[in-house]
Amino acid sequence: MVKGYLSEQPVLSVPASVSVLGGAQLRLQPDNSFVTALNTVPGVRAEERSPGSYRLSIRGSLLRSPFGVRDVKVYFDEIPLTDAGGNTYLNAIDISNIRHIEVLKGPDGSLFGANSGGVVLLNPVNRMDSNYLSAGINGGSYGLFHEKVSLQNTSAKNRFNFNQSYQTYNGYRQNSRMHRTYIQAGDAYRYAPQSELRASILYSDLDYQTPGGLNLAQMMANPRSARLPTATLPGAIQQKIRINTKMLLGGLVNDARLTNRIRNVLAVFGNHVDFANPFITNYEQRNENTYGLRTYFELAAIRKENLDWKLNLGIEWQQTNSQISNYDNNAGEKGNVQKIDKINTGQHFFFVRYAADIFKRLHVEAAASLNYYGYKFRNLAPLNETGFTNRNFDAVVMPRLALSYQVTNDFIWRASVSRGYSPPTTAEVRPTNNIINTGLQAQLGWNYETGFRLRNSDESMLLDASVFYYRLNKSIVRRLNPDETEYYINSGGTNQPGFELAFTDWLVKRKNNGIIRGLQFNTALTVSRFKFRDYNVAGANYSGNRLTGVPREVVVSSLQMLLPQTFALFIQHNYTANIPLNDANTVYAPKYHLLQAKASWQHNISHKTRLELYAGADNLLNQKYSLGNDLNAVGNRYYNPAPLRNYFFGINLNM
């Protein structure tokens, strides 16, 4: 079931490229990082240049996301994790506390506002669970340690859940230690048969060192080295470069059934972020406060034999106020002030959606949003300006039209057309060169897509395939100055045709006898033929070049084997083709094959208590690769070497 389109509907009939990672899929993957789990979704590329340093893109937005998430809207329950300024602190979340993930691929601004890549919905609660208490500890190579405790208590009208975790990891390279303290709690009160009030709060304190990029010769000489000093700049160790993010997020969600036909969802939320980043050339601090609301009404039809429909109407509003301060970095300590700015960013959008099922076979959706975005800024140092300068963008309509047709009970064809819109983020308007760029424009594009889903009669097999063409205009791309400070420009556009396929099948269905008591095969194929269009920079014409940072093919395949005595074996292989590292396409990261394996054993201590032991290994083929490259890097420092063969083990207790 998919909830992303405001009400639950079967994934088979959803007229969109949507992927679901439920509890069963998430439990197979390592729970120390989002990367491995998200990379099983075709079209998604998650990277971790060093422990805790995530980079996420959907269908090729890596040029905008050198240090995090761009072009993708992320929600935690009904609460936006992406703030009004476009920042998403995904690395603040501990994936071990997430029970369900939905990935909506391609521009989906009709319901979720500005994005041109897609939407990720994180759900911290599995509503099918009732009462439980679970605890787990795992450890592994390079000083990995991760502990977690979760509990949920459910009564007739109330559901309370609490999650706590702590993770630390020394890292493969010098200057790459991370640790994260995480607390998350939620309560849901069912005050009417189909109405509930939910409260959520989380606190995350994440601190990680950043080793920095190496050039090819340095990587070959010592891949575990942090960035080395040069004749003009100190290195990562000398400057003690790291990132600390403290985030407090909370919200209330009221899901109310007003009548038999009318439902309202109202979410009010806010978050506070303290961010510090001693870097090579400066020490940046950000103080960010966000507040907002999201609400929508749903009107359901009086069902008829051959027609059923729903109408949604809503609004989302956000305001983020930021103070961004830059100082000299004196070996990890703040020095003299370079610049201090206040930037207040606001965005809101109205949305409407009509969905109808006709003759129980044709599903039609028409949706649109009207988006408003703007920011104002003033300098506190050195100018001490008293008034704000305003920059408002024109209102933009983002429509989406989609349909699916149930050719047979188990074969459904779908098609959609949608518009993408993504204004510049605060980090792009005010990048590390400390110059506010008011000329940066929003990028826009149209996405055309078709595909199908096929299942067998008992639903043990599912094939999901789609082909799309996304034409993006005024693309925002990152550029670097000789001193390695960054800035962003609009660069013409991109042509992004692609093909995605996901397939799962229980080759041997679950049974209680034999050596192999269940065998499941999964594969995800991503084919990207993304190229620049009308891209000219400083006299160089990059039109027709491959889109930087995007591999042409990625194939992730896995086997899950169930054995006697509740033993299980899980094996996963990731093939990633070569990756262009600069816009000129003169340097490529070589292709790589990642092989990981996990063996587990479960034992029922009592009727309600289950013990699980597991152990595994990653990068079994000992591949030398970089999981997260620095694109268009100064000094050819493109590479962030990933660990060689490494091991992990753990224990879980569920009651």
Side-chain angles (χ1 to χ4, degrees), residues 433-557:
N433 68 356
N434 297 347
I435 298 173
I436 294 178
N437 182 2
T438 58
L440 202 57
Q441 302 176 60
Q443 59 181 30
L444 300 129
W446 285 93
N447 184 68
Y448 308 90
E449 186 161 347
T450 187
F452 67 87
R453 292 187 178 96
L454 174 68
R455 68 180 178 187
N456 60 358
S457 57
D458 63 4
E459 300 186 31
S460 61
M461 183 275 290
L462 177 67
L463 173 65
D464 187 341
S466 61
V467 59
F468 64 90
Y469 175 66
Y470 188 28
R471 182 178 172 89
L472 191 63
N473 298 313
K474 299 180 181 178
S475 303
I476 298 174
V477 299
R478 174 180 178 249
R479 307 297 297 173
L480 288 172
N481 294 307
D483 65 356
E484 299 191 45
T485 59
E486 64 177 356
Y487 64 98
Y488 291 81
I489 63 171
N490 294 102
S491 68
T494 57
N495 295 335
Q496 299 180 202
F499 172 74
E500 296 165 357
L501 180 145
F503 175 76
T504 182
D505 188 19
W506 281 93
L507 303 176
V508 177
K509 295 180 176 62
R510 292 173 180 264
K511 57 183 181 178
N512 296 319
N513 52 58
I515 299 298
I516 298 178
R517 300 191 174 183
L519 183 65
Q520 185 186 36
F521 173 72
N522 295 279
T523 192
L525 168 65
T526 305
V527 177
S528 306
R529 294 294 184 266
F530 302 169
K531 292 185 178 182
F532 289 113
R533 184 186 74 252
D534 303 324
Y535 184 16
N536 296 276
V537 178
N541 185 359
Y542 299 132
S543 301
N545 285 9
R546 287 174 53 183
L547 190 60
T548 318
V550 179
R552 291 171 68 90
E553 298 91 22
V554 177
V555 185
V556 180
S557 302

Side-chain angles (χ1 to χ4, degrees), residues 45-323:
R45 181 161 181 81
E47 300 180 343
E48 195 169 16
R49 298 183 306 157
S50 60
S53 180
Y54 288 164
R55 186 160 62 180
L56 172 67
S57 71
I58 300 178
R59 294 181 173 176
S61 58
L62 278 171
L63 267 180
R64 288 189 69 188
S65 54
F67 308 120
V69 183
R70 303 279 194 278
D71 259 359
V72 178
K73 192 81 175 285
V74 181
Y75 285 79
F76 182 86
D77 198 357
E78 294 279 351
I79 300 171
L81 191 63
T82 303
D83 66 24
N87 292 324
T88 304
Y89 296 101
L90 181 63
N91 54 359
I93 306 296
D94 189 325
I95 189 176
S96 68
N97 299 299
I98 300 300
R99 303 289 183 261
H100 184 90
I101 300 175
E102 292 181 21
V103 181
L104 315 180
K105 294 175 287 185
D108 221 325
S110 58
L111 299 179
F112 301 102
N115 75 84
S116 54
V119 179
V120 177
L121 308 174
L122 307 176
N123 197 321
V125 175
N126 183 351
R127 290 174 174 78
M128 300 301 293
D129 295 337
S130 54
N131 298 331
Y132 64 81
L133 172 63
S134 66
I137 295 177
N138 66 66
S141 304
Y142 311 116
L144 172 65
F145 173 80
H146 189 189
E147 65 82 17
K148 57 183 179 178
V149 176
S150 299
L151 68 88
Q152 181 164 295
N153 182 267
T154 303
S155 62
K157 292 187 176 182
N158 199 76
R159 181 184 65 246
F160 172 77
N161 60 80
F162 175 81
N163 301 274
Q164 176 275 330
S165 63
Y166 175 77
Q167 181 176 345
T168 183
Y169 184 40
N170 293 333
Y172 171 67
R173 298 175 61 197
Q174 298 172 344
N175 206 66
S176 62
R177 183 179 183 271
M178 70 84 71
H179 61 86
R180 176 176 52 225
T181 301
Y182 186 84
I183 299 173
Q184 170 189 308
D187 190 81
Y189 173 62
R190 185 171 293 273
Y191 58 87
Q194 298 184 64
S195 302
E196 71 174 15
L197 177 65
R198 303 193 299 272
S200 298
I201 189 169
L202 70 84
Y203 173 76
S204 176
D205 185 350
L206 170 67
D207 190 279
Y208 61 94
Q209 298 172 322
T210 52
L214 303 176
N215 63 36
L216 183 59
Q218 292 167 343
M219 182 178 71
M220 298 303 293
N222 182 10
R224 302 190 67 172
S225 170
R227 172 176 164 165
L228 300 171
T230 67
T232 56
L233 291 172
I237 294 175
Q238 290 76 19
Q239 286 293 71
K240 298 181 180 179
I241 64 176
R242 65 180 181 88
I243 290 178
N244 178 260
T245 305
K246 294 181 176 69
M247 182 175 74
L248 177 66
L249 179 145
L252 292 172
V253 179
N254 186 42
D255 190 337
R257 179 70 62 177
L258 304 179
T259 71
N260 289 336
R261 297 179 57 198
I262 300 176
R263 169 177 170 244
N264 173 252
V265 176
L266 169 65
V268 292
F269 52 85
N271 72 62
H272 171 73
V273 174
D274 282 327
F275 177 93
N277 177 205
F279 185 58
I280 296 292
T281 54
N282 71 88
Y283 189 119
E284 181 174 284
Q285 279 193 318
R286 297 204 299 260
N287 184 293
E288 300 168 340
N289 294 285
T290 298
Y291 48 93
L293 65 86
R294 175 179 172 87
T295 186
Y296 56 89
F297 287 87
E298 179 176 275
L299 174 64
I302 299 174
R303 287 195 176 188
K304 298 181 179 179
E305 176 67 21
N306 294 317
L307 177 64
D308 187 21
W309 56 262
K310 287 181 179 179
L311 176 67
N312 298 103
L313 181 66
I315 181 176
E316 181 178 310
W317 172 83
Q318 269 188 298
Q319 176 74 30
T320 298
N321 298 333
S322 306
Q323 179 168 308

Side-chain angles (χ1 to χ4, degrees), residues 567-611:
F567 281 95
L569 180 64
F570 178 73
I571 300 173
Q572 185 164 284
H573 172 260
N574 179 320
Y575 165 75
T576 299
N578 64 5
I579 301 171
L581 300 181
N582 60 7
D583 298 346
N585 288 184
T586 57
V587 182
Y588 287 80
K591 63 182 180 182
Y592 56 82
H593 294 265
L594 297 182
L595 185 64
Q596 67 183 71
K598 175 184 176 182
S600 63
W601 173 70
Q602 297 186 23
H603 176 65
N604 290 328
I605 298 175
S606 68
H607 176 66
K608 292 185 177 181
T609 304
R610 171 170 289 194
L611 175 70

